[in-house]
Amino acid sequence: MSAGTTSATPVAAAGDGASAAEGRDRYLDLLRALALLRVTVFHVFGWAWLTVLFPSMGVMFALAGSLTARSLGRPGGTPRTVIGSRLRRLLPPLWAFSAVMLGLLFLGFDWRPQGAGGAAAVLTYLLPVGAPPYPESSGFPSGVLETTWAADGAGPLWYLRAYLWFVVASPLLLRLYRRAPWPTLLAPLALTGVFGTGLVMVPGETGEVVKDFCVYGSCWLLGFAHQDGATARLPRYVSVSCATALMGLALWWASAHQGEQRWNLDDVPPAQALWSFGFVAVLLVYAPAWRELPGRWRRWDGLVTLANNRAVTVYLWHNLLIALTFPVLAAAGVGGTATQPAAFLLLWPMLAPVVLVLGPLEDLAAGRRVRMWPTRR
């Protein structure tokens, strides 16, 4: 089982699609749905090579950057209104999840954060300016829950911190990008060589924020470039050649700096930054203008729509539910090589009631008509 891995998919901007008048970009919707599926598979099976096959975090940061740039460019899209809108979309689903997590930690496991700083850090469950605290090991000796359940559930919330700081910084980043596109676009990649390699160490939570900005900042800025049409204007052979060179450099670096999971790029910040940037650049250079899913993809239209309308809910709850599948399977006598495939299959009927009950919070937060199971656009 790999539910303890904290790699996660960025989804907080999933509800920020185009208005009805503008129509939705179904290509971006499809990428978001695939990213959610990929991270779920990764958290169940722990296949490190999935971080190379599809760098979902880089993809989703780029999509969020594109949507944020579009919102800032609309009439009335002031920094205050855009940041406020993102917070309104993000916080109610987070509060519902945090109420369950904190209830389990405080009441079920009698956990208490240490010191005044620890108590204040609990507030990050309500406003994700930092990664929330949780015990690395907390569970029943009988094995009803694995001792890593808290890390499985709360660990991926680091993304909400990164997403929020990107949103807050976006008005300034967009201004810098439009004045000096290439230096701004490539600056985070260069900074990854400083802060992502240990050359300069920034301690504590601040260091994590800096590292996340360096690793995924260029992907976020690629979203700006996509929204401005720059990725379509640049000759494809130039874009693809440069992207391929960066991805080759990423694999070379990763081969010489492998951790316990070998090709898990999440453990190698410079490789993650370069590979994600190159991969996302190719996806956006060849981005089609889809208002409808074409051909065989059309059969998945309902699931793609559901994934986009409930992306925050799926992201928040999937890893905690994965941690719960394994005790259920053990009680049912399922073990051995069948455990992980069975956990993957069991996850979806466990996730469906959560989507039904708590998913409408995303509609309320976004000011949309409330729907229980939104598979139609």
Side-chain angles (χ1 to χ4, degrees):
M1 167 186 173
S2 63
T5 308
T6 58
S7 171
T9 304
V11 296
D16 296 335
S19 66
E22 293 172 318
R24 291 196 62 98
D25 188 329
R26 297 300 278 170
Y27 177 69
L28 300 187
D29 286 350
L30 177 62
L31 289 180
R32 186 178 295 109
L34 290 175
L36 278 172
L37 177 62
R38 197 287 281 171
V39 79
T40 303
V41 173
F42 178 78
H43 280 163
V44 173
F45 294 96
W47 294 327
W49 51 265
L50 285 174
T51 63
V52 178
L53 179 67
F54 194 87
S56 57
M57 289 184 291
V59 171
M60 294 303 293
F61 274 115
L63 300 183
S66 178
L67 294 170
T68 302
R70 178 169 60 189
S71 295
L72 288 167
R74 287 173 175 167
T78 65
R80 180 178 178 179
T81 58
V82 171
I83 294 172
S85 173
R86 294 303 185 276
L87 282 173
R88 286 194 302 272
R89 292 171 184 269
L90 177 64
L91 293 183
L94 172 63
W95 290 340
F97 176 81
S98 297
V100 173
M101 278 296 302
L102 292 176
L104 288 173
L105 287 171
F106 289 154
L107 303 178
F109 296 91
D110 198 29
W111 172 73
R112 296 294 183 270
Q114 299 299 314
V122 172
L123 297 177
T124 57
Y125 278 96
L126 306 179
L127 184 64
V129 293
Y134 52 84
E136 291 295 334
S137 178
S138 178
F140 291 114
S142 62
V144 175
L145 284 175
E146 295 191 5
T147 58
T148 60
W149 74 269
D152 295 337
L157 296 185
W158 71 268
Y159 163 70
L160 302 186
R161 173 203 65 209
Y163 170 81
L164 179 59
W165 285 115
F166 272 126
V167 168
V168 170
S170 282
L172 175 59
L173 290 175
L174 186 59
R175 192 176 303 117
L176 291 173
Y177 167 76
R178 287 176 174 165
R179 289 184 179 180
W182 285 108
T184 305
L185 184 64
L186 298 177
L189 292 180
L191 290 173
T192 305
V194 177
F195 296 102
T197 61
L199 184 63
V200 175
M201 298 292 294
V202 180
E205 190 67 19
T206 302
E208 294 300 315
V209 172
V210 170
K211 185 179 71 173
D212 291 338
F213 172 81
C214 295
V215 173
Y216 299 110
S218 288
C219 289
W220 187 275
L221 291 162
L222 270 177
F224 290 0
H226 173 70
Q227 179 60 33
D228 284 355
T231 53
R233 291 192 298 269
L234 196 66
R236 284 183 175 178
Y237 71 90
V238 174
S239 303
V240 174
S241 298
C242 293
T244 302
L246 291 176
M247 293 168 74
L249 180 60
L251 294 180
W252 171 78
W253 184 272
S255 67
H257 299 82
Q258 293 181 347
E260 292 183 2
Q261 292 185 287
R262 299 193 64 188
W263 287 101
N264 185 354
L265 298 186
D266 296 338
D267 298 333
V268 191
Q272 178 72 280
L274 292 168
W275 182 264
S276 297
F277 181 82
F279 193 95
V280 170
V282 173
L283 288 179
L284 295 182
V285 164
Y286 285 94
W290 288 348
R291 295 306 176 200
E292 301 288 343
L293 292 178
R296 294 180 179 179
W297 287 109
R298 196 165 298 166
R299 72 182 68 177
W300 305 105
D301 187 86
L303 288 177
V304 170
T305 301
L306 179 65
N308 278 268
N309 280 281
R310 296 294 181 260
V312 178
T313 302
V314 172
Y315 174 71
L316 285 171
W317 290 91
H318 81 279
N319 218 34
L320 179 60
L321 293 178
I322 289 172
L324 294 175
T325 61
F326 289 90
V328 171
L329 292 172
V334 178
T337 58
T339 303
Q340 288 174 319
F344 182 74
L345 294 176
L346 179 60
L347 171 64
W348 306 107
M350 294 178 66
L351 187 58
V354 176
V355 171
L356 279 170
V357 174
L358 298 178
L361 286 174
E362 294 195 50
D363 295 331
L364 292 171
R368 300 189 297 252
R369 178 172 60 88
V370 174
R371 295 184 294 169
M372 299 298 292
W373 195 256
T375 56
R376 292 176 179 267
R377 288 182 287 142

